[in-house]
Amino acid sequence: LVIVATSSPDDLFGDAASIAAAIGANKAAAFDLTAACSGFLFGMVTASQFLHTGAYKKVLLIGADALTRFLDWNDRGTCILFGDGAGAVVLEATESAEQSGVLGFALHSDGERYCSLKLAF
């Protein structure tokens, strides 16, 4: 399984499939996950759930964003907050829940405040 957590894909339909093809994982499921700053965290929880259920034995999780291509460098109030970066981990299923590296999680969102930070297109 290949999960790419990004808010700035190179392809509007997602980058995960092209990454899977590039590494020779041609039979792997692959999808992008968009959750902005929390994308990698959401990706980690999503990956752990696929491993926990036994649906997959290994997951490549990539968090990558190239937000500077959207910035207005004249807006000093926002351009200093965003940048480009990437990181990746490979997660693997364990034989038992006691060996699991993800001990728990609690995810929450406040949808009433969505307008506080958005990029409409």
Side-chain angles (χ1 to χ4, degrees):
L1 175 62
V2 177
I3 302 172
V4 176
T6 184
S7 295
S8 56
D10 290 332
D11 183 333
L12 184 60
F13 295 118
D15 292 337
S18 65
I19 292 169
I23 64 172
N26 297 322
K27 295 184 180 182
F31 63 88
D32 282 22
L33 185 151
T34 302
C37 298
S38 59
F40 193 83
L41 178 61
F42 274 83
M44 182 74 76
V45 171
T46 301
S48 73
Q49 295 304 296
F50 276 112
L51 295 171
H52 181 73
T53 63
Y56 294 97
K57 298 293 181 198
K58 293 182 183 177
V59 179
L60 170 61
L61 170 60
I62 300 169
D65 271 310
L67 298 175
T68 57
R69 58 182 150 182
F70 303 115
L71 291 180
D72 174 1
W73 291 102
N74 295 313
D75 180 0
R76 302 304 292 169
T78 59
C79 72
I80 60 169
L81 299 175
F82 302 101
D84 301 337
V89 295
V90 174
L91 297 111
E92 191 169 358
T94 59
E95 294 296 321
S96 68
E98 292 81 31
Q99 298 173 326
S100 175
V102 178
L103 302 178
F105 62 90
L107 301 175
H108 306 279
S109 297
D110 184 353
E112 291 182 7
R113 302 196 190 256
Y114 80 95
C115 61
S116 297
L117 184 63
K118 66 180 182 176
L119 177 64
F121 54 99

mmCIF file of all heavy atoms in Angstrom, residues 50-95:
data_model
loop_
_atom_site.group_PDB
_atom_site.id
_atom_site.type_symbol
_atom_site.label_atom_id
_atom_site.label_comp_id
_atom_site.label_asym_id
_atom_site.label_seq_id
_atom_site.Cartn_x
_atom_site.Cartn_y
_atom_site.Cartn_z
ATOM 1 N N PHE A 50 -4.989 -0.082 8.323
ATOM 2 C CA PHE A 50 -4.859 -1.107 7.278
ATOM 3 C C PHE A 50 -3.979 -2.257 7.752
ATOM 4 O O PHE A 50 -4.250 -3.415 7.462
ATOM 5 C CB PHE A 50 -4.278 -0.509 5.993
ATOM 6 C CG PHE A 50 -5.288 0.140 5.100
ATOM 7 C CD1 PHE A 50 -5.296 1.506 4.903
ATOM 8 C CD2 PHE A 50 -6.234 -0.623 4.417
ATOM 9 C CE1 PHE A 50 -6.221 2.111 4.062
ATOM 10 C CE2 PHE A 50 -7.167 -0.039 3.574
ATOM 11 C CZ PHE A 50 -7.156 1.341 3.397
ATOM 12 N N LEU A 51 -2.925 -1.952 8.508
ATOM 13 C CA LEU A 51 -2.053 -3.001 9.039
ATOM 14 C C LEU A 51 -2.760 -3.786 10.132
ATOM 15 O O LEU A 51 -2.683 -5.021 10.174
ATOM 16 C CB LEU A 51 -0.763 -2.388 9.581
ATOM 17 C CG LEU A 51 0.137 -1.709 8.555
ATOM 18 C CD1 LEU A 51 1.258 -0.953 9.259
ATOM 19 C CD2 LEU A 51 0.692 -2.716 7.560
ATOM 20 N N HIS A 52 -3.446 -3.086 11.013
ATOM 21 C CA HIS A 52 -4.132 -3.726 12.138
ATOM 22 C C HIS A 52 -5.200 -4.715 11.675
ATOM 23 O O HIS A 52 -5.375 -5.769 12.280
ATOM 24 C CB HIS A 52 -4.746 -2.664 13.049
ATOM 25 C CG HIS A 52 -5.447 -3.223 14.243
ATOM 26 N ND1 HIS A 52 -4.778 -3.760 15.314
ATOM 27 C CD2 HIS A 52 -6.767 -3.334 14.528
ATOM 28 C CE1 HIS A 52 -5.649 -4.187 16.201
ATOM 29 N NE2 HIS A 52 -6.870 -3.931 15.758
ATOM 30 N N THR A 53 -5.920 -4.379 10.624
ATOM 31 C CA THR A 53 -6.976 -5.270 10.132
ATOM 32 C C THR A 53 -6.423 -6.443 9.332
ATOM 33 O O THR A 53 -7.160 -7.381 9.030
ATOM 34 C CB THR A 53 -7.975 -4.520 9.230
ATOM 35 O OG1 THR A 53 -7.281 -4.044 8.067
ATOM 36 C CG2 THR A 53 -8.634 -3.376 9.970
ATOM 37 N N GLY A 54 -5.147 -6.366 8.977
ATOM 38 C CA GLY A 54 -4.551 -7.443 8.186
ATOM 39 C C GLY A 54 -4.745 -7.263 6.698
ATOM 40 O O GLY A 54 -4.375 -8.134 5.906
ATOM 41 N N ALA A 55 -5.331 -6.136 6.286
ATOM 42 C CA ALA A 55 -5.556 -5.903 4.859
ATOM 43 C C ALA A 55 -4.237 -5.789 4.102
ATOM 44 O O ALA A 55 -4.141 -6.201 2.941
ATOM 45 C CB ALA A 55 -6.393 -4.640 4.657
ATOM 46 N N TYR A 56 -3.208 -5.220 4.762
ATOM 47 C CA TYR A 56 -1.885 -5.078 4.152
ATOM 48 C C TYR A 56 -0.817 -5.427 5.169
ATOM 49 O O TYR A 56 -1.024 -5.276 6.374
ATOM 50 C CB TYR A 56 -1.662 -3.647 3.634
ATOM 51 C CG TYR A 56 -2.585 -3.313 2.497
ATOM 52 C CD1 TYR A 56 -3.774 -2.620 2.725
ATOM 53 C CD2 TYR A 56 -2.304 -3.719 1.197
ATOM 54 C CE1 TYR A 56 -4.642 -2.344 1.687
ATOM 55 C CE2 TYR A 56 -3.169 -3.450 0.159
ATOM 56 C CZ TYR A 56 -4.333 -2.765 0.407
ATOM 57 O OH TYR A 56 -5.202 -2.502 -0.613
ATOM 58 N N LYS A 57 0.330 -5.880 4.679
ATOM 59 C CA LYS A 57 1.462 -6.225 5.546
ATOM 60 C C LYS A 57 2.480 -5.098 5.621
ATOM 61 O O LYS A 57 3.205 -4.978 6.599
ATOM 62 C CB LYS A 57 2.151 -7.503 5.045
ATOM 63 C CG LYS A 57 1.253 -8.712 5.057
ATOM 64 C CD LYS A 57 0.897 -9.096 6.468
ATOM 65 C CE LYS A 57 0.005 -10.326 6.480
ATOM 66 N NZ LYS A 57 -0.694 -10.478 7.733
ATOM 67 N N LYS A 58 2.563 -4.278 4.554
ATOM 68 C CA LYS A 58 3.507 -3.167 4.528
ATOM 69 C C LYS A 58 2.844 -1.953 3.909
ATOM 70 O O LYS A 58 2.055 -2.079 2.981
ATOM 71 C CB LYS A 58 4.753 -3.520 3.719
ATOM 72 C CG LYS A 58 5.600 -4.588 4.353
ATOM 73 C CD LYS A 58 6.844 -4.868 3.539
ATOM 74 C CE LYS A 58 7.614 -5.991 4.197
ATOM 75 N NZ LYS A 58 8.794 -6.385 3.436
ATOM 76 N N VAL A 59 3.208 -0.784 4.430
ATOM 77 C CA VAL A 59 2.676 0.472 3.905
ATOM 78 C C VAL A 59 3.835 1.459 3.767
ATOM 79 O O VAL A 59 4.614 1.641 4.703
ATOM 80 C CB VAL A 59 1.606 1.094 4.838
ATOM 81 C CG1 VAL A 59 1.096 2.416 4.282
ATOM 82 C CG2 VAL A 59 0.455 0.129 5.078
ATOM 83 N N LEU A 60 3.922 2.077 2.598
ATOM 84 C CA LEU A 60 4.821 3.196 2.397
ATOM 85 C C LEU A 60 3.990 4.452 2.567
ATOM 86 O O LEU A 60 3.024 4.662 1.845
ATOM 87 C CB LEU A 60 5.443 3.162 1.000
ATOM 88 C CG LEU A 60 6.233 4.409 0.581
ATOM 89 C CD1 LEU A 60 7.408 4.659 1.521
ATOM 90 C CD2 LEU A 60 6.691 4.292 -0.864
ATOM 91 N N LEU A 61 4.344 5.262 3.558
ATOM 92 C CA LEU A 61 3.650 6.521 3.814
ATOM 93 C C LEU A 61 4.605 7.657 3.504
ATOM 94 O O LEU A 61 5.704 7.721 4.059
ATOM 95 C CB LEU A 61 3.195 6.599 5.274
ATOM 96 C CG LEU A 61 2.655 7.942 5.759
ATOM 97 C CD1 LEU A 61 1.429 8.372 4.965
ATOM 98 C CD2 LEU A 61 2.363 7.892 7.250
ATOM 99 N N ILE A 62 4.177 8.541 2.620
ATOM 100 C CA ILE A 62 4.975 9.695 2.236
ATOM 101 C C ILE A 62 4.185 10.953 2.557
ATOM 102 O O ILE A 62 3.004 11.049 2.219
ATOM 103 C CB ILE A 62 5.297 9.671 0.728
ATOM 104 C CG1 ILE A 62 6.072 8.404 0.373
ATOM 105 C CG2 ILE A 62 6.060 10.927 0.319
ATOM 106 C CD1 ILE A 62 6.212 8.170 -1.129
ATOM 107 N N GLY A 63 4.828 11.881 3.207
ATOM 108 C CA GLY A 63 4.260 13.204 3.420
ATOM 109 C C GLY A 63 5.084 14.185 2.611
ATOM 110 O O GLY A 63 6.302 14.258 2.790
ATOM 111 N N ALA A 64 4.466 14.899 1.696
ATOM 112 C CA ALA A 64 5.217 15.819 0.838
ATOM 113 C C ALA A 64 4.345 16.999 0.440
ATOM 114 O O ALA A 64 3.191 16.817 0.060
ATOM 115 C CB ALA A 64 5.702 15.095 -0.417
ATOM 116 N N ASP A 65 4.916 18.174 0.548
ATOM 117 C CA ASP A 65 4.216 19.375 0.103
ATOM 118 C C ASP A 65 5.197 20.357 -0.512
ATOM 119 O O ASP A 65 6.331 20.489 -0.041
ATOM 120 C CB ASP A 65 3.465 20.052 1.251
ATOM 121 C CG ASP A 65 2.058 19.519 1.407
ATOM 122 O OD1 ASP A 65 1.337 19.467 0.387
ATOM 123 O OD2 ASP A 65 1.685 19.148 2.527
ATOM 124 N N ALA A 66 4.742 21.013 -1.560
ATOM 125 C CA ALA A 66 5.491 22.082 -2.220
ATOM 126 C C ALA A 66 4.587 23.308 -2.231
ATOM 127 O O ALA A 66 4.029 23.679 -3.260
ATOM 128 C CB ALA A 66 5.893 21.663 -3.628
ATOM 129 N N LEU A 67 4.427 23.884 -1.075
ATOM 130 C CA LEU A 67 3.467 24.978 -0.913
ATOM 131 C C LEU A 67 3.992 26.318 -1.411
ATOM 132 O O LEU A 67 3.199 27.237 -1.653
ATOM 133 C CB LEU A 67 3.053 25.091 0.549
ATOM 134 C CG LEU A 67 2.339 23.860 1.108
ATOM 135 C CD1 LEU A 67 2.075 24.022 2.586
ATOM 136 C CD2 LEU A 67 1.052 23.594 0.352
ATOM 137 N N THR A 68 5.293 26.443 -1.601
ATOM 138 C CA THR A 68 5.827 27.737 -2.033
ATOM 139 C C THR A 68 5.352 28.111 -3.430
ATOM 140 O O THR A 68 5.347 29.288 -3.781
ATOM 141 C CB THR A 68 7.366 27.765 -1.986
ATOM 142 O OG1 THR A 68 7.889 26.707 -2.790
ATOM 143 C CG2 THR A 68 7.861 27.634 -0.553
ATOM 144 N N ARG A 69 4.921 27.142 -4.209
ATOM 145 C CA ARG A 69 4.423 27.486 -5.549
ATOM 146 C C ARG A 69 3.073 28.200 -5.512
ATOM 147 O O ARG A 69 2.638 28.758 -6.504
ATOM 148 C CB ARG A 69 4.370 26.263 -6.452
ATOM 149 C CG ARG A 69 3.522 25.132 -5.958
ATOM 150 C CD ARG A 69 3.588 23.960 -6.924
ATOM 151 N NE ARG A 69 3.408 22.705 -6.220
ATOM 152 C CZ ARG A 69 3.453 21.539 -6.792
ATOM 153 N NH1 ARG A 69 3.707 21.441 -8.072
ATOM 154 N NH2 ARG A 69 3.270 20.451 -6.089
ATOM 155 N N PHE A 70 2.410 28.206 -4.347
ATOM 156 C CA PHE A 70 1.126 28.879 -4.201
ATOM 157 C C PHE A 70 1.222 30.187 -3.425
ATOM 158 O O PHE A 70 0.239 30.897 -3.284
ATOM 159 C CB PHE A 70 0.112 27.982 -3.475
ATOM 160 C CG PHE A 70 -0.112 26.669 -4.132
ATOM 161 C CD1 PHE A 70 0.260 25.490 -3.502
ATOM 162 C CD2 PHE A 70 -0.693 26.591 -5.385
ATOM 163 C CE1 PHE A 70 0.049 24.266 -4.104
ATOM 164 C CE2 PHE A 70 -0.893 25.367 -5.996
ATOM 165 C CZ PHE A 70 -0.525 24.206 -5.355
ATOM 166 N N LEU A 71 2.370 30.484 -2.886
ATOM 167 C CA LEU A 71 2.506 31.625 -1.988
ATOM 168 C C LEU A 71 2.570 32.958 -2.716
ATOM 169 O O LEU A 71 3.120 33.066 -3.800
ATOM 170 C CB LEU A 71 3.777 31.480 -1.140
ATOM 171 C CG LEU A 71 3.779 30.373 -0.108
ATOM 172 C CD1 LEU A 71 5.108 30.372 0.637
ATOM 173 C CD2 LEU A 71 2.634 30.506 0.864
ATOM 174 N N ASP A 72 2.028 33.942 -2.045
ATOM 175 C CA ASP A 72 2.202 35.329 -2.463
ATOM 176 C C ASP A 72 3.324 35.880 -1.594
ATOM 177 O O ASP A 72 3.140 36.168 -0.414
ATOM 178 C CB ASP A 72 0.908 36.116 -2.243
ATOM 179 C CG ASP A 72 1.068 37.598 -2.532
ATOM 180 O OD1 ASP A 72 2.175 38.036 -2.918
ATOM 181 O OD2 ASP A 72 0.076 38.326 -2.357
ATOM 182 N N TRP A 73 4.511 36.003 -2.169
ATOM 183 C CA TRP A 73 5.683 36.410 -1.402
ATOM 184 C C TRP A 73 5.593 37.853 -0.908
ATOM 185 O O TRP A 73 6.372 38.266 -0.057
ATOM 186 C CB TRP A 73 6.954 36.184 -2.220
ATOM 187 C CG TRP A 73 7.211 34.722 -2.378
ATOM 188 C CD1 TRP A 73 6.962 33.954 -3.478
ATOM 189 C CD2 TRP A 73 7.711 33.823 -1.384
ATOM 190 N NE1 TRP A 73 7.282 32.640 -3.232
ATOM 191 C CE2 TRP A 73 7.748 32.534 -1.949
ATOM 192 C CE3 TRP A 73 8.127 33.987 -0.064
ATOM 193 C CZ2 TRP A 73 8.193 31.417 -1.255
ATOM 194 C CZ3 TRP A 73 8.575 32.863 0.638
ATOM 195 C CH2 TRP A 73 8.602 31.602 0.039
ATOM 196 N N ASN A 74 4.632 38.605 -1.420
ATOM 197 C CA ASN A 74 4.419 39.969 -0.944
ATOM 198 C C ASN A 74 3.561 40.007 0.319
ATOM 199 O O ASN A 74 3.500 41.023 0.989
ATOM 200 C CB ASN A 74 3.782 40.829 -2.036
ATOM 201 C CG ASN A 74 4.710 40.993 -3.217
ATOM 202 O OD1 ASN A 74 5.888 41.294 -3.044
ATOM 203 N ND2 ASN A 74 4.186 40.777 -4.412
ATOM 204 N N ASP A 75 2.883 38.905 0.616
ATOM 205 C CA ASP A 75 2.051 38.820 1.814
ATOM 206 C C ASP A 75 2.894 38.252 2.952
ATOM 207 O O ASP A 75 2.950 37.050 3.167
ATOM 208 C CB ASP A 75 0.837 37.933 1.543
ATOM 209 C CG ASP A 75 -0.075 37.796 2.751
ATOM 210 O OD1 ASP A 75 0.221 38.397 3.817
ATOM 211 O OD2 ASP A 75 -1.085 37.079 2.642
ATOM 212 N N ARG A 76 3.554 39.127 3.688
ATOM 213 C CA ARG A 76 4.455 38.707 4.756
ATOM 214 C C ARG A 76 3.708 38.087 5.936
ATOM 215 O O ARG A 76 4.315 37.474 6.807
ATOM 216 C CB ARG A 76 5.309 39.882 5.233
ATOM 217 C CG ARG A 76 6.138 40.532 4.143
ATOM 218 C CD ARG A 76 7.050 39.574 3.431
ATOM 219 N NE ARG A 76 8.120 39.109 4.313
ATOM 220 C CZ ARG A 76 8.931 38.117 4.026
ATOM 221 N NH1 ARG A 76 8.814 37.468 2.896
ATOM 222 N NH2 ARG A 76 9.857 37.738 4.867
ATOM 223 N N GLY A 77 2.392 38.222 5.959
ATOM 224 C CA GLY A 77 1.599 37.619 7.026
ATOM 225 C C GLY A 77 1.408 36.121 6.861
ATOM 226 O O GLY A 77 1.126 35.421 7.827
ATOM 227 N N THR A 78 1.545 35.623 5.629
ATOM 228 C CA THR A 78 1.352 34.188 5.414
ATOM 229 C C THR A 78 2.571 33.497 4.802
ATOM 230 O O THR A 78 2.793 32.317 5.063
ATOM 231 C CB THR A 78 0.145 33.919 4.500
ATOM 232 O OG1 THR A 78 0.356 34.567 3.244
ATOM 233 C CG2 THR A 78 -1.139 34.381 5.135
ATOM 234 N N CYS A 79 3.361 34.196 3.995
ATOM 235 C CA CYS A 79 4.448 33.503 3.289
ATOM 236 C C CYS A 79 5.493 32.926 4.248
ATOM 237 O O CYS A 79 6.163 31.952 3.916
ATOM 238 C CB CYS A 79 5.097 34.400 2.242
ATOM 239 S SG CYS A 79 6.112 35.734 2.909
ATOM 240 N N ILE A 80 5.609 33.479 5.445
ATOM 241 C CA ILE A 80 6.574 32.957 6.404
ATOM 242 C C ILE A 80 6.105 31.682 7.094
ATOM 243 O O ILE A 80 6.879 31.007 7.764
ATOM 244 C CB ILE A 80 6.921 34.024 7.469
ATOM 245 C CG1 ILE A 80 5.665 34.428 8.232
ATOM 246 C CG2 ILE A 80 7.596 35.219 6.829
ATOM 247 C CD1 ILE A 80 5.936 35.261 9.457
ATOM 248 N N LEU A 81 4.830 31.334 6.925
ATOM 249 C CA LEU A 81 4.264 30.168 7.602
ATOM 250 C C LEU A 81 4.420 28.870 6.818
ATOM 251 O O LEU A 81 4.367 27.788 7.405
ATOM 252 C CB LEU A 81 2.769 30.391 7.866
ATOM 253 C CG LEU A 81 2.401 31.576 8.753
ATOM 254 C CD1 LEU A 81 0.894 31.724 8.809
ATOM 255 C CD2 LEU A 81 2.991 31.395 10.138
ATOM 256 N N PHE A 82 4.580 28.959 5.507
ATOM 257 C CA PHE A 82 4.515 27.762 4.673
ATOM 258 C C PHE A 82 5.822 27.537 3.935
ATOM 259 O O PHE A 82 6.528 28.462 3.588
ATOM 260 C CB PHE A 82 3.363 27.884 3.669
ATOM 261 C CG PHE A 82 2.038 28.097 4.331
ATOM 262 C CD1 PHE A 82 1.472 29.357 4.386
ATOM 263 C CD2 PHE A 82 1.368 27.043 4.924
ATOM 264 C CE1 PHE A 82 0.246 29.565 5.012
ATOM 265 C CE2 PHE A 82 0.151 27.237 5.550
ATOM 266 C CZ PHE A 82 -0.414 28.503 5.589
ATOM 267 N N GLY A 83 6.119 26.284 3.680
ATOM 268 C CA GLY A 83 7.339 25.940 2.960
ATOM 269 C C GLY A 83 7.180 24.618 2.241
ATOM 270 O O GLY A 83 6.077 24.082 2.125
ATOM 271 N N ASP A 84 8.285 24.098 1.772
ATOM 272 C CA ASP A 84 8.310 22.822 1.073
ATOM 273 C C ASP A 84 9.021 21.793 1.945
ATOM 274 O O ASP A 84 9.951 22.125 2.676
ATOM 275 C CB ASP A 84 9.064 22.954 -0.253
ATOM 276 C CG ASP A 84 8.459 23.989 -1.177
ATOM 277 O OD1 ASP A 84 7.260 24.295 -1.027
ATOM 278 O OD2 ASP A 84 9.173 24.484 -2.056
ATOM 279 N N GLY A 85 8.595 20.555 1.855
ATOM 280 C CA GLY A 85 9.255 19.504 2.625
ATOM 281 C C GLY A 85 8.666 18.151 2.311
ATOM 282 O O GLY A 85 7.591 18.045 1.712
ATOM 283 N N ALA A 86 9.391 17.118 2.704
ATOM 284 C CA ALA A 86 8.926 15.748 2.473
ATOM 285 C C ALA A 86 9.594 14.802 3.461
ATOM 286 O O ALA A 86 10.687 15.075 3.970
ATOM 287 C CB ALA A 86 9.233 15.313 1.049
ATOM 288 N N GLY A 87 8.917 13.720 3.723
ATOM 289 C CA GLY A 87 9.453 12.656 4.568
ATOM 290 C C GLY A 87 8.689 11.380 4.273
ATOM 291 O O GLY A 87 7.588 11.418 3.721
ATOM 292 N N ALA A 88 9.274 10.252 4.606
ATOM 293 C CA ALA A 88 8.621 8.971 4.327
ATOM 294 C C ALA A 88 8.986 7.946 5.393
ATOM 295 O O ALA A 88 10.062 8.010 5.993
ATOM 296 C CB ALA A 88 9.028 8.461 2.955
ATOM 297 N N VAL A 89 8.067 7.021 5.613
ATOM 298 C CA VAL A 89 8.306 5.882 6.502
ATOM 299 C C VAL A 89 7.706 4.635 5.862
ATOM 300 O O VAL A 89 6.767 4.718 5.071
ATOM 301 C CB VAL A 89 7.693 6.069 7.912
ATOM 302 C CG1 VAL A 89 8.349 7.208 8.651
ATOM 303 C CG2 VAL A 89 6.203 6.247 7.844
ATOM 304 N N VAL A 90 8.261 3.506 6.208
ATOM 305 C CA VAL A 90 7.674 2.220 5.840
ATOM 306 C C VAL A 90 7.194 1.590 7.131
ATOM 307 O O VAL A 90 7.966 1.438 8.081
ATOM 308 C CB VAL A 90 8.692 1.295 5.134
ATOM 309 C CG1 VAL A 90 8.086 -0.083 4.901
ATOM 310 C CG2 VAL A 90 9.153 1.903 3.827
ATOM 311 N N LEU A 91 5.915 1.258 7.171
ATOM 312 C CA LEU A 91 5.334 0.605 8.336
ATOM 313 C C LEU A 91 5.063 -0.851 7.975
ATOM 314 O O LEU A 91 4.662 -1.146 6.847
ATOM 315 C CB LEU A 91 4.031 1.297 8.737
ATOM 316 C CG LEU A 91 4.217 2.740 9.165
ATOM 317 C CD1 LEU A 91 3.597 3.651 8.125
ATOM 318 C CD2 LEU A 91 3.606 2.957 10.504
ATOM 319 N N GLU A 92 5.258 -1.731 8.948
ATOM 320 C CA GLU A 92 5.082 -3.158 8.693
ATOM 321 C C GLU A 92 4.228 -3.770 9.797
ATOM 322 O O GLU A 92 4.362 -3.404 10.977
ATOM 323 C CB GLU A 92 6.447 -3.835 8.638
ATOM 324 C CG GLU A 92 6.406 -5.247 8.133
ATOM 325 C CD GLU A 92 7.788 -5.800 7.834
ATOM 326 O OE1 GLU A 92 8.783 -5.076 7.990
ATOM 327 O OE2 GLU A 92 7.852 -6.966 7.437
ATOM 328 N N ALA A 93 3.369 -4.688 9.426
ATOM 329 C CA ALA A 93 2.494 -5.361 10.386
ATOM 330 C C ALA A 93 3.328 -6.195 11.349
ATOM 331 O O ALA A 93 4.412 -6.672 11.016
ATOM 332 C CB ALA A 93 1.486 -6.246 9.657
ATOM 333 N N THR A 94 2.812 -6.342 12.559
ATOM 334 C CA THR A 94 3.452 -7.178 13.571
ATOM 335 C C THR A 94 2.621 -8.437 13.777
ATOM 336 O O THR A 94 1.473 -8.529 13.331
ATOM 337 C CB THR A 94 3.595 -6.424 14.903
ATOM 338 O OG1 THR A 94 2.290 -6.037 15.353
ATOM 339 C CG2 THR A 94 4.465 -5.191 14.735
ATOM 340 N N GLU A 95 3.202 -9.374 14.461
ATOM 341 C CA GLU A 95 2.501 -10.637 14.727
ATOM 342 C C GLU A 95 1.381 -10.471 15.756
ATOM 343 O O GLU A 95 0.395 -11.182 15.723
ATOM 344 C CB GLU A 95 3.496 -11.699 15.211
ATOM 345 C CG GLU A 95 4.504 -12.106 14.145
ATOM 346 C CD GLU A 95 3.849 -12.790 12.955
ATOM 347 O OE1 GLU A 95 2.901 -13.583 13.154
ATOM 348 O OE2 GLU A 95 4.291 -12.534 11.818
#
